[in-house]
Amino acid sequence: MRIFELHGSRVAETDRLPAAPPPQGFYWIACSRSEFKEAQARIQAALLAAAGVQLVELHVSDLLNAQLPSHYDYTSQYDLLVFRRLATQHGAAAQADGPGATPASAAAAPGTDAGAAAAPPAALRRVDTRPIGFAVFDQVLLTVHPEDCAVRDAYALRLLAGHGSETRATGARQPASPADLMLRIVNLVVDGYLELRRDLTRGLDLWQNQLLQPHSRFIDWSALLDARLALHQLDEICEDQRAAVQDWIDALEAWPEPATAAAHRERDLLQVRSRDVLEHIERVVHHVRRMEQTAETTVQMHFSLQGNRTNDIMRVLTTLTAIFLPLNLIAGIFGMNFEVIPLTHKQDGFWWAMGTMGVIAVGLIGWFWRKKYLARPSR
């Protein structure tokens, strides 16, 4: 469990839960799900002391639930946001949250090209999410993270670095309120989805190149199905995130009018940051749907190419059959068991028959070539 006290540009980390409201600024209490479960009574007492209210029982259950999708809820004294983030490589491998975590996509089935076929499943296995819970009070932000707490540690490092040289160098502002801090952490989570887009695009491009090879025999269909299911799962995750953030924005607009100009500006900044987070989520949704459509189009083009290849093969076989059909007819006629057949008993009859068959074959080949029945398809 990590506890921070923030005021303006000052950030201090402590190891004690707050016993009273902060004289200035606000507290950030960040813990893992197991820590929240073990220290639930202490955290509730700290919230009562620092914020004057405790979490209701249903919201405690939400924060402890590792299966919960992204959603937003509120009371008259605090807001609750659950937002699913991508699991880290270590967290995905260890399955730290147990059966409540969203399953990763299956491993790739054996294919014809191990490098190209394995790349998309490797990227799509990162579509594994864990929920982060945010309880936003007036002067306290409580966050409940998965066991690896990668987002908490990453933003805590950013806060402590910003307290030093970063803020002075870049002019960046530290979070001014618990809601502002929540939105910054959510934005950090969404940035992970934006970075995932590049990996997914590179992996699917490799797969598409393999599918569109005219003479390839693609047999990795189980992995392709897993990839499409993972993309659909990612679409549903982002849709839940968008709905949760939109509910937060609607609730933010219903807040009472600020009494001072500074408070009014702070609320405007919260609305701008909320809309920015929503726009990032919509970009991820748009990209995921575009990838789904691209994957579907690529599969259809693959079958079209295979159908065209089959048509080319059947055209050549049909043309060869048409060439040999009259030759077989002549051979069959001269193979009849009649006593009198023209040219049968003549010394040069065999050569007349062979010459006629050759002329017919050459004539048919020339005619089919002129009709482009025997021409190779353009690449």
Side-chain angles (χ1 to χ4, degrees):
M1 183 185 303
R2 303 184 67 176
I3 305 166
F4 301 87
E5 183 178 354
L6 295 88
H7 171 59
S9 61
R10 186 177 64 86
V11 180
E13 184 172 4
T14 179
D15 56 355
R16 295 184 179 180
L17 287 168
Q24 292 177 325
F26 63 96
Y27 291 114
W28 175 25
I29 304 174
C31 59
S32 66
R33 191 163 287 111
S34 60
E35 291 172 339
F36 179 70
K37 184 176 182 180
E38 293 173 1
Q40 179 180 336
R42 294 171 48 214
I43 293 175
Q44 289 278 48
L47 291 176
L48 182 61
V53 65
Q54 292 183 332
L55 293 169
V56 300
E57 191 65 30
L58 289 177
H59 289 166
V60 172
S61 300
D62 288 345
L63 294 175
L64 291 174
N65 188 353
Q67 300 179 357
L68 204 65
S70 301
H71 81 286
Y72 169 77
D73 198 6
Y74 64 93
T75 68
S76 60
Q77 296 173 308
Y78 67 88
D79 298 273
L80 182 77
L81 178 70
V82 176
F83 201 86
R84 298 194 72 95
R85 70 160 175 85
L86 289 172
T88 60
Q89 295 293 341
H90 173 73
Q95 292 295 322
D97 281 84
T102 305
S105 60
T112 55
D113 186 344
L124 288 166
R125 277 197 297 271
R126 292 181 56 194
V127 185
D128 185 13
T129 60
R130 306 284 191 271
I132 301 178
F134 300 88
V136 185
F137 299 83
D138 290 338
Q139 292 182 291
V140 179
L141 174 65
L142 171 66
T143 59
V144 180
H145 302 259
E147 300 308 314
D148 49 61
C149 293
V151 173
R152 178 198 67 181
D153 295 336
Y155 197 79
L157 182 63
R158 180 180 298 185
L159 274 179
L160 296 175
H163 174 54
S165 60
E166 181 181 342
T167 302
R168 293 192 297 270
T170 63
R173 297 174 62 252
Q174 294 284 21
S177 66
D180 189 11
L181 177 57
M182 178 201 71
L183 290 174
R184 294 181 186 223
I185 298 176
V186 169
N187 192 56
L188 182 64
V189 171
V190 177
D191 286 344
Y193 286 88
L194 292 174
E195 293 174 1
L196 178 64
R197 296 185 314 167
R198 292 190 289 269
D199 295 336
L200 292 176
T201 301
R202 284 194 296 265
L204 289 177
D205 284 345
L206 291 175
W207 223 343
Q208 289 166 12
N209 290 334
Q210 186 185 6
L211 279 169
L212 296 180
Q213 290 294 326
H215 299 293
S216 67
R217 295 188 61 188
F218 187 84
I219 59 174
D220 210 3
W221 295 110
S222 61
L224 178 59
L225 178 60
D226 289 335
R228 294 178 63 185
L229 291 175
L231 287 174
H232 184 66
Q233 171 195 353
L234 182 58
D235 186 18
E236 291 182 343
I237 291 170
C238 294
E239 278 293 341
D240 290 339
Q241 292 175 345
R242 181 166 64 176
V245 174
Q246 184 61 59
D247 289 343
W248 157 261
I249 292 175
D250 295 340
L252 184 60
E253 292 176 351
W255 283 10
E257 282 296 323
T260 64
H264 196 282
R265 174 173 172 76
E266 188 61 39
R267 179 175 169 180
D268 289 342
L269 291 176
L270 283 179
Q271 292 175 334
V272 170
R273 191 175 293 276
S274 299
R275 290 193 294 267
D276 181 67
V277 171
L278 183 62
E279 188 269 336
H280 285 186
I281 297 174
E282 289 175 346
R283 283 168 54 191
V284 177
V285 172
H286 174 73
H287 187 79
V288 168
R289 290 179 177 174
R290 187 159 58 96
M291 284 193 296
E292 284 185 296
Q293 294 174 357
T294 302
E296 180 69 26
T297 302
T298 303
V299 171
Q300 294 177 0
M301 291 177 64
H302 170 76
F303 285 113
S304 297
L305 287 174
Q306 296 302 315
N308 290 336
R309 185 184 177 194
T310 302
N311 291 338
D312 291 337
I313 294 173
M314 292 304 300
R315 182 182 61 184
V316 173
L317 292 178
T318 303
T319 303
L320 294 176
T321 302
I323 291 172
F324 283 96
L325 185 61
L327 308 186
N328 290 333
L329 176 61
I330 294 174
I333 290 174
F334 281 93
M336 294 179 179
N337 295 323
F338 291 103
E339 288 292 333
V340 180
I341 296 178
L343 302 177
T344 300
H345 297 289
K346 289 187 176 182
Q347 186 176 3
D348 56 352
F350 171 77
W351 300 111
W352 277 103
M354 292 299 295
T356 303
M357 294 170 68
V359 169
I360 294 174
V362 171
L364 288 175
I365 290 174
W367 186 66
F368 288 144
W369 188 268
R370 185 176 180 181
K371 292 291 186 180
K372 298 184 179 180
Y373 293 165
L374 296 176
R376 298 185 63 180
S378 59
R379 297 297 179 88

